[in-house]
Amino acid sequence: MVSDILIEIVTAIGRFLINPLMYIAILFAILLGYSRVKQERKFFNRRIIWGWTELMGQWRYGWLSALLISLVSVGLGLTVPKVFIMILIAISALALLLYFINALSPIYTMGFATLAIWWMYQYNWTFSWWNISLEGVNLLDGSIVTITILAGLCVIAEGMLIRRTAIMVTTPQVEKTKRGMQAIVYRSKNVWVLPIFFVIPGDIIPVDFPYWPQFTLGESTFALVLFPIVIGFSKLTRKELPALQLPKIGRSVLMLGQLILIGGLAAALEPFIGFITLAIGVVIRIIISIFYALQDKTDIYAVAPSSKGAIIAAVLPDSPAEKMGLLAGECIRKVNGQAIFTENDLYEALQLNAAHCRLEVVDRNNEIRLTQHVIYNNDHYRIGLLLAEPRDI
């Protein structure tokens, strides 16, 4: 029995490697990195973040959440029907191909997959193409419970990713305001992949395996599949800095995931609660997106040129500016005792002391602080700062 389960795990990994959704997500991440670097060179004449950051982050940040969800999924035997997996692949792939990044929230993809299965079952509709055959199943036999619990866990993972890692791939852009001036906006586009083990009806693991699974769906044997849950997030921020706004969005989504999880547990007592929970979850997720989008429908910008000094638009990674703790949105009033307002002013002020720079900075709380750094020959000639100033675009 143990050897059969080990073989099934290896087989599940094999199914994962031939899943077309995984390769579509990889190509999409490469495209995101390429288009971002192209925009950075257009506005600032240089790359700000490494071009492969999106691809590396796609797999780096979600693995722990995927592992925890897999342990819950397999440990409790949260069985889902095969048709759910197939429809989930189709919805996620379609969203990627159509560039609908925000449609890749798990509550959307799992919610609409559930709706499609219910519709197929209610109207006795089937779909066949090549060697793929799909037909509806009765979700009230336990599937709606497991799907809702898994959706809640994945939305919790989504909230944690937005809260902690979305800021890592945020890049500035120059935008013309309604008054004809220029200001800085920030775009964050992320697509994460969570490889999660799902339990599906199969022919390997018997139902009488000790204490597993809890939700049998009327089946007698089961199998494992390693499935790539694709989570997407895209946000343009104007009024508030990404470091302040994105954690708020993440907390909101995290709370939504907790509510969905509670609804999934309640569905174990009354399955119809699962349908209600998924429907309400979709609505609340839409409201969260609209609420934060409306906040940025404004002519007020968190970062724009100022007469008070040079406003930092971005800090290059591993630069002297980053080592000094400088942040986007802060205002540099003086460098080596000389007042600055543009990047040319910054360059000229740095030449006053070729080996050392001293900065007077007004931080995000409007408090003044002094910072300094030794300049080395291989350091960026403007110490790794991109400033908000009028540019030709």
Side-chain angles (χ1 to χ4, degrees):
M1 176 61 68
V2 175
S3 61
D4 290 339
I5 294 177
L6 292 176
I7 293 174
E8 180 63 12
I9 292 175
V10 174
T11 304
I13 296 174
R15 296 190 187 106
F16 177 81
L17 295 176
I18 63 173
N19 192 323
L21 179 59
M22 181 185 70
Y23 297 100
I24 294 174
I26 290 174
L27 292 175
F28 191 85
I30 295 173
L31 174 62
L32 284 182
Y34 170 79
S35 60
R36 175 185 51 75
V37 171
K38 188 176 180 180
Q39 288 292 313
E40 290 171 351
R41 294 190 187 278
K42 172 185 175 182
F43 292 119
F44 299 98
N45 297 317
R46 65 169 293 114
R47 186 199 72 193
I48 301 175
I49 308 174
W50 187 42
W52 297 97
T53 302
E54 284 84 352
L55 180 60
M56 297 298 102
Q58 184 179 80
W59 300 90
R60 178 181 177 183
Y61 300 117
W63 69 268
L64 181 58
S65 296
L67 176 61
L68 295 175
I69 295 174
S70 295
L71 291 175
V72 174
S73 172
V74 176
L76 297 181
L78 300 180
T79 313
V80 296
K82 295 179 182 178
V83 64
F84 176 76
I85 298 293
M86 301 304 296
I87 295 177
L88 201 55
I89 291 175
I91 293 175
S92 300
L94 184 62
L96 287 170
L97 293 174
L98 295 179
Y99 212 80
F100 291 161
I101 300 178
N102 282 329
L104 288 167
S105 172
I107 188 58
Y108 295 152
T109 54
M110 292 187 175
F112 287 116
T114 302
L115 177 63
I117 296 173
W118 174 85
W119 186 86
M120 293 170 67
Y121 179 77
Q122 288 294 116
Y123 295 95
N124 196 28
W125 185 80
T126 59
F127 173 81
S128 297
W129 177 73
W130 197 32
N131 61 343
I132 298 175
S133 180
L134 301 178
E135 62 181 13
V137 297
N138 183 9
L139 295 173
L140 294 176
D141 65 358
S143 298
I144 189 61
V145 178
T146 59
I147 290 174
T148 307
I149 292 175
L150 289 170
L153 293 172
C154 290
V155 173
I156 289 174
E158 177 192 10
M160 294 175 64
L161 288 168
I162 295 173
R163 183 179 179 182
R164 298 179 180 178
T165 67
I167 186 63
M168 298 179 182
V169 202
T170 299
T171 186
Q173 299 177 9
V174 179
E175 181 177 272
K176 183 173 290 187
T177 69
K178 296 177 182 178
R179 300 177 181 179
M181 307 296 287
Q182 289 186 359
I184 302 296
V185 299
Y186 295 87
R187 170 68 74 179
S188 177
K189 292 182 180 179
N190 296 268
V191 172
W192 302 286
V193 175
L194 273 62
I196 297 175
F197 277 100
F198 284 156
V199 183
I200 62 173
D203 55 3
I204 300 296
I205 309 173
V207 70
D208 57 1
F209 188 75
Y211 307 109
W212 185 92
Q214 300 296 316
F215 301 91
T216 62
L217 307 188
E219 303 288 341
S220 58
T221 55
F222 298 88
L224 296 177
V225 59
L226 184 59
F227 184 82
I229 292 292
V230 181
I231 299 177
F233 175 75
S234 177
K235 185 70 176 72
L236 181 70
T237 58
R238 293 185 180 91
K239 186 178 179 180
E240 199 171 16
L241 287 164
L244 302 177
Q245 187 180 82
L246 297 186
K248 295 179 184 178
I249 300 175
R251 283 193 294 270
S252 300
V253 175
L254 180 61
M255 291 177 62
L256 172 61
Q258 293 170 347
L259 292 175
I260 295 172
L261 179 59
I262 293 172
L265 296 174
L269 302 177
E270 175 50 59
F272 193 72
I273 295 176
F275 289 103
I276 298 175
T277 299
L278 291 177
I280 293 177
V282 170
V283 173
I284 294 177
R285 186 65 182 87
I286 292 174
I287 292 174
I288 291 173
S289 297
I290 293 176
F291 175 79
Y292 285 102
L294 290 177
Q295 283 194 344
D296 288 302
K297 292 291 184 180
T298 176
D299 201 33
I300 300 175
Y301 292 81
V303 178
S306 171
S307 59
K308 297 180 181 180
I311 306 298
I312 301 175
V315 177
L316 300 183
D318 301 319
S319 65
E322 184 181 64
K323 294 172 184 176
M324 284 189 284
L326 298 178
L327 301 172
E330 293 185 326
C331 176
I332 303 175
R333 300 207 307 187
K334 292 181 180 180
V335 174
N336 290 331
Q338 181 172 318
I340 71 164
F341 300 92
T342 66
E343 287 191 357
N344 286 334
D345 294 341
L346 172 64
Y347 177 69
E348 293 174 0
L350 288 173
Q351 302 310 302
L352 297 177
N353 189 338
H356 203 85
C357 69
R358 296 180 177 85
L359 280 69
E360 181 180 310
V361 182
V362 180
D363 64 18
R364 295 170 178 174
N365 297 319
N366 207 31
E367 296 179 354
I368 299 175
R369 78 172 191 274
L370 300 176
T371 184
Q372 56 186 355
H373 183 73
V374 176
I375 300 177
Y376 299 97
N377 291 332
N378 60 344
D379 284 336
H380 188 271
Y381 75 105
R382 287 194 176 98
I383 66 170
L385 284 173
L386 297 177
L387 303 181
E389 60 178 357
R391 299 174 183 271
D392 294 328
I393 57 174

